[in-house]
Amino acid sequence: MYISELLITPLWIARYMCFLPFQLILWPLRIARYMCFLPFQLILWPLRIARYMCFLPFRLILWPFKLLTRFILYIVGFRRQGVAKGSYASQYQSRRYGGYVPPQSTFSKFQAHGATDDYDSRGWR
């Protein structure tokens, strides 16, 4: 053993010994919390699966349209990093808005939709 290990080991043990009483109190509370929510989880999981399976045909039908709108916005200039330099969207923004884009405008919604991830459907409202 090195001298540094001899000096650090007692501090390490002391640190965990100080937190041991709190851990002994918290672990039964954590287990009780999970046991209280277990019946609700057993009920909710089949419902979540059923909801997913019910909406799956609609998602498959709407998926090509979502890709098409994403592609059109990409062509116009709404990219993940923002409005592309020299694109139609940047020209429109500079002519119409300047440096300020009003919140909840169509342009801001297009910006949000172009910047969201493909798997995140909450960005488009």
Side-chain angles (χ1 to χ4, degrees):
M1 275 181 99
Y2 295 108
I3 294 177
S4 62
E5 290 178 2
L6 292 174
L7 295 175
I8 292 174
T9 304
L11 295 174
W12 182 76
I13 292 171
R15 186 177 105 197
Y16 282 103
M17 291 304 287
C18 289
F19 288 115
L20 185 63
F22 296 112
Q23 292 299 326
L24 291 176
I25 293 170
L26 289 177
W27 273 105
L29 294 175
R30 288 178 182 156
I31 292 171
R33 181 181 69 185
Y34 288 121
M35 293 304 289
C36 288
F37 288 118
L38 183 64
F40 298 112
Q41 292 297 327
L42 291 176
I43 293 170
L44 289 178
W45 273 106
L47 293 176
R48 288 179 184 157
I49 293 171
R51 183 184 69 179
Y52 181 77
M53 293 304 289
C54 286
F55 287 116
L56 185 63
F58 298 111
R59 288 183 185 209
L60 291 176
I61 292 169
L62 294 176
W63 183 67
F65 297 108
K66 183 178 178 181
L67 285 180
L68 181 65
T69 57
R70 236 250 206 213
F71 179 70
I72 291 171
L73 286 177
Y74 185 83
I75 295 291
V76 172
F78 294 101
R79 310 283 164 79
R80 182 170 293 186
Q81 296 83 12
V83 178
K85 183 179 178 180
S87 65
Y88 175 75
S90 68
Q91 293 171 3
Y92 181 81
Q93 182 182 12
S94 65
R95 276 187 273 128
R96 174 80 181 207
Y97 298 116
Y100 175 73
V101 177
Q104 299 301 322
S105 66
T106 305
F107 192 86
S108 69
K109 290 181 181 182
F110 285 165
Q111 275 184 321
H113 189 60
T116 53
D117 193 13
D118 291 334
Y119 302 107
D120 184 22
S121 61
R122 296 178 193 155
W124 180 255
R125 295 180 189 166

